[in-house]
Structure formats: C-alpha cells, structure tokens
Amino acid sequence: MLKITFLGTVSGIPTKDRNHSAIIFEYFSDIKSTLLFDCGEGTQKQLMMSGISFMDVDNIFISHWHADHFAGLIPLIQTMNMEKRKKELTIYGPEAERFVADIIDLGYFGLRFPINAVNVPFEGDEITKIMDSEEFEVLSIPTLHTVPSVAYCFKEKDRWGIDLDKMKDLGLKRGSWLEKLKKQGEAEYRGKKIKLSDIANRKDGLKVVYTGDTKPCETVVKISKDSDMLIHDGTFLELDESQGKYHADVAEAAKIAKKADVKELILTHLSRRYNRDDVKEMEERAKKVFPNTKIAHDFMKVELKK
Ligand SMILES: [Zn+2]
C-alpha cells in the first residue's frame, strides 16, 4: 500500500494555508519505505504535523534546485543530526553532487551521518532508473523548466500470483519447485518444464509520477503512460505569456494526463494568487479535459493499493 501526503502545495511564495513543495510517499510492505519528493522550506514541521517521522526518510528526490523545492533540506539535515541520526541519507537530483556539497558547506553542521548525492540526468528524453529496491524502483526523466529539472516515477514491481485452478488443470501440486518458478520464471516439475505464465497471473505494480515544475512536455507523457496517478504542476488557472512559460495551467496538465492514459490526476504547486473560489474553478476547468482530477491542498492524503 502506498500512502501519499502532500506537505506543501504552493508555487514561489507561500501562503498561510499552503507551504512550499514537498510530497511524502510511505510504502508499506514487509518493511516500510519513506520517500520524500522535494523539500521546500518548513518541510520538517509539515512532517511533524502529519505525524510522519522525518527520521524514517532515507531518500530525498529533488526535482530542481529552486529554493521553494529544496530550502527545507538545510534545517531537516540539521535536525536529523541533532537527533543523532547514524543512517545514510541519499539525495537525488539534477547536479545533486554539487548542490548537496554546497549545502553541507553552508554552516558548521558537524555531520555525524553520511549523505550520499546522486546526479540525475536532466538532458534528453530517456527514462533512467535511479533507485532499485526489492519491492519498487524510482525512475526519472528530464522535464522543461527554466533550470535543469526532472520528473520522478515511483514504480512498484510487478508481481505474479499463482492461479490454483490453472495448477489443478495441469495436474500440478505445490512444492518447493514453486519458489524456484517464482524466482527464475521457469522450473521443472516431475521432468516437465513449467513457465510462470502457465500457472500465474501478472499483477501490475502501482505507478505514480511527480513532475515537479514544468511546462507540459512529451517526456512527462512518456514516463507517466498508464500510471495510477500523475501529480502535475498546476500553477495557473490560465497561462498567459506574461506569467512565464515554464509552468503548466490546469487544462494543459489535464491534456497530458489524458494523453498518457493515467487513472487519476492531482494538480499541485498552485500560485498564491488563487483563492478558494478560484481553486474550484481550476478543478472544474481541468475536469472538462480529464474528469478524474483533484487539486491538492496541504496535508491531503491519498492511498493507493492494488
Ligand atoms: Zn516551484
């Protein structure tokens, strides 16, 4: 099960109700994994208010190095240090090695735990696997913003469920050979070669994409194809030239969701200029293009399960 909590949902300048960008993914399996996507100012306090321990965060994915997406790293690292963290922390992002080194250099941290920085490719249109675990992987692809920027994809690994009826039809009985079959894709049963697809059904893993800041682009369509959820830049109700072209408006983001055949769209990173009524209008406008759309608000939680 994947639980997603929006910790910050505003663009450039925060408001009383909306904090700078940060989204936390809690993935519950045999072990719990906690992944943080972007870390704007105040993220550690937003985590506390959500009842999620910042000490559980082992991997942080920065979409791009604008302060509204990373300024929360400095106090978060300091707090982890004062709480006597020993575990390694890994920070991913375009040019992450350079920026993480700069951040650690900023004050007298006296760091007692290792911080590992991983550069994420930000040019071209290829999908890169940047993290791999037993249960899931994280992928990235470059996006279109004013500075190097990427989108991230959380992808739960596909699973095979043994179909007992199919086993019965083929006259097969349970045994240790089934473990081998699950691991290697095929195994021998009383001298007969059995393939996993003969007796099992594939269950696609969950797929969720977070774009960070971007104007609508094909790379986002590519990485979010058929995903369960797309979390897209929805900065503007309607974009005009004067507002800069490197964000999306809600209808444009909805078009990307439609093109990528995603199941659900959540728009975030709203400009502070919009009041409650405007936000309603944003949702309505997006829904005309892609009906299953929600507008994120701080502390909004979504649960996904397959
Ligand atoms: Zn931003």
Side-chain angles (χ1 to χ4, degrees):
M1 194 260 280
L2 179 65
K3 198 194 255 180
I4 299 173
T5 306
F6 291 81
L7 301 172
T9 57
V10 78
S11 67
I13 302 169
T15 67
K16 278 191 293 175
D17 305 315
R18 291 185 187 267
N19 215 68
H20 275 159
S21 288
I23 307 173
I24 195 119
F25 284 31
E26 294 171 280
Y27 179 70
F28 299 88
S29 182
D30 292 343
I31 47 163
K32 184 186 162 194
S33 305
T34 309
L35 313 174
L36 179 61
F37 292 88
D38 280 336
C39 186
E41 175 195 344
T43 296
Q44 61 171 335
K45 283 199 79 173
Q46 298 292 91
L47 278 166
M48 289 171 196
M49 285 162 78
S50 309
I52 301 166
S53 168
F54 51 80
M55 293 299 260
D56 287 347
V57 176
D58 294 333
N59 295 282
I60 303 178
F61 302 85
I62 302 294
S63 63
H64 66 292
W65 297 93
H66 272 148
D68 59 322
H69 294 257
F70 80 84
L73 280 177
I74 302 159
L76 178 64
I77 291 169
Q78 178 145 319
T79 305
M80 285 173 166
N81 205 34
M82 289 195 284
E83 292 283 14
K84 301 189 172 54
R85 185 187 171 103
K86 291 279 177 294
K87 267 192 303 179
E88 183 178 77
L89 175 71
T90 303
I91 301 174
Y92 304 77
E95 304 175 279
E97 283 179 21
R98 174 160 78 89
F99 285 102
V100 170
D102 286 350
I103 284 171
I104 294 170
D105 230 26
L106 264 177
Y108 296 106
F109 274 107
L111 268 189
R112 288 186 290 260
F113 66 97
I115 299 183
N116 178 30
V118 177
N119 287 339
V120 175
F122 57 87
E123 284 171 321
D125 59 0
E126 291 303 313
I127 294 173
T128 309
K129 190 196 286 186
I130 53 168
M131 186 195 163
D132 198 9
S133 80
E134 203 143 289
E135 313 268 5
F136 63 86
E137 55 195 27
V138 178
L139 312 164
S140 72
I141 200 162
T143 51
L144 279 181
H145 196 43
T146 51
V147 296
S149 62
V150 297
Y152 292 108
C153 173
F154 172 93
K155 175 76 179 78
E156 185 182 30
K157 291 192 175 165
D158 297 339
R159 288 208 190 121
W160 288 91
I162 302 291
D163 186 329
L164 294 176
D165 289 336
K166 282 188 187 170
M167 272 183 69
K168 217 171 154 191
D169 290 346
L170 291 171
L172 306 172
K173 293 217 163 72
R174 288 168 180 273
S176 56
W177 69 280
L178 269 179
E179 284 312 307
K180 196 179 163 199
L181 181 76
K182 278 190 205 162
K183 264 192 196 127
Q184 296 174 3
E186 58 177 41
E188 239 173 64
Y189 179 83
R190 293 186 184 166
K192 215 171 119 192
K193 204 180 252 180
I194 308 289
K195 280 191 185 148
L196 190 56
S197 52
D198 294 339
I199 59 158
N201 302 314
R202 203 176 77 169
K203 235 174 80 185
D204 289 339
L206 285 168
K207 184 176 173 185
V208 180
V209 169
Y210 167 56
T211 65
D213 293 6
T214 186
K215 77 188 230 178
C217 58
E218 282 305 312
T219 53
V220 169
V221 176
K222 185 175 177 181
I223 199 166
S224 46
K225 199 79 198 139
D226 300 321
S227 56
D228 296 280
M229 182 176 284
L230 170 62
I231 302 166
H232 201 289
D233 178 326
T235 308
F236 297 113
L237 173 63
E238 193 161 30
L239 193 65
D240 68 50
E241 292 292 304
S242 66
Q243 289 160 334
K245 297 175 211 149
Y246 286 88
H247 290 287
D249 74 29
V250 292
E252 289 174 325
K255 275 183 209 157
I256 297 286
K258 197 176 169 187
K259 209 168 168 187
D261 275 322
V262 307
K263 293 202 180 80
E264 186 172 4
L265 170 66
I266 297 195
L267 297 167
T268 187
H269 197 264
L270 278 68
S271 165
R272 66 161 173 169
R273 78 192 62 187
Y274 302 120
N275 62 30
R276 269 167 205 266
D277 289 339
D278 297 330
V279 171
K280 245 190 202 139
E281 201 186 331
M282 289 171 108
E283 190 170 277
E284 279 158 19
R285 208 175 274 206
K287 277 184 167 170
K288 276 189 192 142
V289 182
F290 187 81
N292 197 10
T293 303
K294 285 194 188 91
I295 307 275
H297 56 83
D298 284 22
F299 304 114
M300 180 167 116
K301 283 184 192 287
V302 212
E303 280 183 20
L304 291 169
K305 204 176 182 177
K306 267 194 172 168

